[in-house]
């Protein structure tokens, strides 16, 4: 026994010595990086929009094979049922609760809040982390009953939402502001598609719909499951008469920002895409060793990416792509990338540079990118069709961010 304990102690110390993770926050240590050119695909040089359209799938396939896993090509029988409907915000908006059923095997609850108007509404759509009930204190929203990453008693006990969690993340949704600007809001909990832990896939779409979707759980990832869920929410949105289905703006914060980018690259029906502090594996360049790294993210969250992606740790230069190419796959749609100064872990500069690199592809469509600018100061959004800001404050999506997204939506999603 003693021998065994000694062995454990030695081996864990050895492991710790082998790889003590200390995030780099020193810009001078990042060095010079060379990014793959989005316009060179295999041995082909892309020089026109038609060429890009013909070949962009090659990039998507690379991201699917090396990083995020497959997106199902097959579809599953989806039944959308309206569960309840009520006026909220003093009659300014109508809140509907929808149940999406997939082949009788998986259900997801979607909240749809629309301005009360005879016009079809443009909407913001995104997943939430800890249950629909966290977006508002309204007691008509059912309390999510699956695993959530939140865990602060009495709001969440053992990662299960309690009634006290109603409205916990209302500031991240700014529903009234969104409604007053003429937009709707649509959300579902990411855990309805896959609970966010290493073996969460066992209870989610990757396992339960494996036969219908024609993929084994290991063929895809949590990011893929969430992205797939977003596309099914878009199917629902496009079936609702009061919604302008061509004006669905996809957004996501942090890990759900990564999923939103993967969804936006695959599903071109999304009218615009917003990445809020999506960081490593999202908008930030992986080749920049600053804040979170491939090694760290794939060790902390093995279910977010394919195991193959983990093998690029410490050899990031060998990745056949970098995240600026994922962003470029949104072309020619409007894209907003946002960072926060207090969130160095997400590498704000890596997010900015990634957004800046998009213009090569956008130019093929005659569209402008961020141009020849340096990283802007705090709270100074730059760009138009492609926008970027870094605000003060911590890792979050807050009122300031929403003010910018609403303005962006009004100006670019016409
Ligand atoms: C962190 C993770 C980030 C980001 C974040 C979040 O722990 O390292 O990549 O996704 O979680 O989702 O809040």
């Amino acid at each position: 026994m003693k021998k065994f304990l000694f062995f454990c102690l030695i081996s864990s110390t050895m492991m710790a010595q082998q790889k003590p993770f200390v995030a780099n926050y020193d810009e001078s240590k990042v060095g010079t990086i060379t990014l793959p050119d989005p316009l060179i695909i295999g041995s082909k040089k892309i020089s026109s929009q038609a060429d890009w359209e013909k070949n962009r799938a090659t990039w998507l396939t690379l991201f699917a094979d090396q990083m995020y896993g497959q997106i199902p090509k097959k579809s599953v029988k989806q039944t959308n049922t309206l569960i309840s409907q009520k006026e909220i915000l003093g009659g300014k908006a109508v809140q509907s609760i929808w149940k999406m059923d997939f082949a009788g095997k998986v259900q997801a609850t979607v909240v749809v809040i629309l301005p009360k108007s005879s016009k079809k509404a443009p909407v913001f759509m995104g997943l939430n982390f800890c249950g629909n009930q966290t977006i508002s204190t309204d007691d008509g929203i059912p309390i999510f009953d699956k695993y959530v990453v939140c865990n602060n008693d009495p709001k969440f006990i053992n990662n299960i939402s309690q009634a006290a969690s109603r409205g916990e993340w209302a500031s991240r949704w700014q529903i009234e502001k969104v409604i007053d600007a003429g937009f709707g809001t649509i959300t579902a909990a990411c855990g309805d598609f896959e609970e966010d832990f290493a073996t969460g896939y066992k209870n989610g779409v990757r396992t339960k719909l494996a036969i219908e979707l024609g993929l084994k759980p290991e063929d895809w990832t949590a990011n893929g499951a969430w992205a797939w869920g977003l596309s099914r929410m878009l199917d629902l949105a496009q079936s609702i008469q009061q919604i302008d289905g061509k004006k669905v703006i996809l957004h996501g914060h942090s890990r759900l920002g990564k999923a939103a980018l993967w969804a936006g690259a695959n599903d071109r029906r999304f009218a615009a895409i917003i990445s809020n502090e999506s960081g490593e594996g999202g908008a930030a360049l992986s080749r920049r060793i600053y804040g979170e790294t491939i090694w760290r993210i794939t060790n902390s969250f093995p279910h977010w990416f394919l195991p193959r992606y983990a093998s690029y740790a410490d050899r990031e230069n060998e990745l056949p792509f970098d995240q600026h190419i994922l962003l470029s796959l949104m072309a020619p749609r409007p894209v907003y990338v946002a960072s926060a100064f207090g969130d160095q872990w997400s590498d704000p500069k890596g997010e900015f540079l990634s957004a800046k690199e998009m213009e090569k592809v956008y130019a093929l469509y005659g569209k402008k990118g961020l141009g020849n600018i340096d990283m802007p100061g705090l709270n100074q959004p730059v760009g138009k069709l492609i926008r970027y800001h870094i605000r003060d404050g911590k890792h979050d999506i807050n009122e300031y961010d929403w003010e910018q997204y609403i303005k962006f939506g009004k100006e670019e999603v016409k």
Side-chain angles (χ1 to χ4, degrees):
M1 182 64 177
K2 254 192 185 156
K3 229 178 175 179
F4 176 67
L5 278 178
F6 180 68
F7 175 73
C8 289
L9 204 73
I10 293 291
S11 56
S12 62
T13 322
M14 267 164 52
M15 269 168 65
Q17 274 169 0
Q18 218 181 342
K19 195 81 203 190
F21 183 76
V22 182
N24 172 47
Y25 291 118
D26 179 349
E27 192 57 43
S28 73
K29 289 197 180 132
V30 172
T32 320
I33 56 166
T34 309
L35 293 173
D37 185 341
L39 299 184
I40 297 179
I41 304 185
S43 55
K44 203 172 157 55
K45 173 95 187 99
I46 305 293
S47 54
S48 71
Q49 190 181 310
D51 251 12
W52 171 259
E53 287 289 333
K54 220 171 21 193
N55 290 285
R56 72 185 279 288
T58 307
W59 283 127
L60 269 180
T61 305
L62 274 171
F63 277 106
D65 291 348
Q66 307 291 325
M67 186 173 180
Y68 298 111
Q70 308 304 308
I71 289 284
K73 292 191 175 62
K74 283 188 167 178
S75 55
V76 58
K77 186 173 163 29
Q78 176 172 349
T79 314
N80 303 320
T81 312
L82 180 61
I83 303 294
S84 68
Q85 197 162 58
K86 71 191 267 199
E87 284 190 4
I88 58 164
L89 300 173
K92 281 195 287 194
V94 178
Q95 172 181 289
S96 309
I97 308 296
W98 287 84
K99 185 77 84 187
M100 302 194 298
D101 175 280
F102 304 104
K105 293 182 176 175
V106 174
Q107 287 77 36
T109 306
V110 185
V111 183
V112 178
I113 301 175
L114 300 175
K116 210 165 131 196
S117 148
S118 54
K119 282 203 282 179
K120 283 175 178 285
V123 296
F124 287 97
M125 176 186 285
L127 293 169
N128 62 71
F129 285 70
C130 295
N132 292 335
Q133 82 287 346
T134 60
I135 73 161
S136 124
T137 50
D138 186 280
D139 62 7
I141 302 179
I143 294 178
F144 190 58
D145 62 1
K146 299 195 182 102
Y147 173 96
V148 293
V149 289
C150 300
N151 201 13
N152 57 331
D153 188 358
K155 295 170 180 167
F156 306 90
I157 303 178
N158 295 329
N159 301 94
I160 296 294
S161 307
Q162 309 297 312
S165 67
R166 286 196 183 284
E168 172 72 351
W169 294 113
S171 62
R172 287 190 172 178
W173 293 84
Q174 299 290 327
I175 293 170
E176 189 158 10
K177 227 182 216 333
V178 168
I179 289 293
D180 287 344
F183 290 88
T185 281
I186 303 186
T187 188
C190 62
D192 260 343
F193 304 103
E194 179 161 332
E195 292 161 306
D196 190 5
F197 58 95
T199 53
Y201 70 90
K202 291 186 178 169
N203 195 32
V205 297
R206 283 200 276 155
T207 299
K208 292 191 169 169
L209 300 176
I211 295 168
E212 290 76 5
L213 297 176
L215 288 180
K216 295 193 285 298
E218 62 271 27
D219 292 338
W220 47 325
T221 60
N223 263 307
W226 296 332
W228 180 85
L230 283 163
S231 286
R232 303 296 70 79
M233 289 158 69
L234 179 55
D235 293 341
L236 166 67
Q238 292 192 329
S239 76
I240 298 174
Q241 220 208 321
Q242 296 84 350
I243 294 176
D244 185 339
K246 290 207 165 68
K247 294 186 182 170
V248 177
I249 305 170
L250 177 59
H251 65 95
H253 169 60
S254 203
R255 69 196 67 189
L256 299 177
K258 308 181 209 298
L261 290 175
W262 184 227
N266 280 287
D267 192 337
R268 300 179 90 185
R269 297 174 301 161
F270 288 110
I273 298 93
I274 298 168
S275 152
N276 194 83
E277 299 156 31
S278 60
E280 184 73 24
L285 295 171
S286 310
R287 278 172 174 72
R288 276 176 52 86
I289 304 304
Y290 189 101
E292 195 171 27
T293 62
I294 294 183
W295 185 86
R296 177 58 200 257
I297 202 168
T298 53
N299 273 276
S300 312
F301 309 102
H303 54 298
W304 289 359
F305 306 99
L306 294 175
R308 183 172 298 163
Y309 187 60
S311 75
Y312 286 101
D314 301 328
R315 54 175 195 108
E316 287 77 5
N317 280 328
E318 290 169 48
L319 270 171
F321 46 70
D322 210 317
Q323 298 307 101
H324 64 304
I325 298 181
L326 182 69
L327 294 181
S328 301
L329 286 165
M330 312 302 167
R333 295 164 294 166
V335 173
Y336 204 132
V337 175
S339 311
F341 186 72
D343 179 27
Q344 294 295 315
W345 181 245
S346 291
D347 186 13
K349 189 162 179 197
E351 296 185 313
F352 169 72
L353 292 174
S354 195
K356 201 173 151 174
E357 288 292 323
M358 294 164 69
E359 62 192 8
K360 266 191 174 174
V361 174
Y362 276 66
L364 300 175
Y365 293 84
K367 311 248 180 205
K368 278 207 184 114
L370 288 176
N372 188 21
I373 51 163
D374 286 332
M375 178 112 179
L378 299 187
N379 311 325
Q380 292 166 34
V382 286
K384 207 176 138 37
L385 186 78
I386 297 172
R387 281 187 206 196
Y388 175 83
H389 76 239
I390 174 165
R391 62 158 172 76
D392 57 9
K394 63 180 172 56
H395 182 61
D396 196 7
I397 168 165
N398 67 15
E399 192 174 0
Y400 175 85
D401 298 315
W402 274 108
E403 281 163 5
Q404 312 319 312
Y405 301 153
I406 288 168
K407 187 164 179 280
F408 170 68
K410 280 187 173 167
E411 291 171 1
E412 304 304 324
V413 182
K414 294 164 210 127

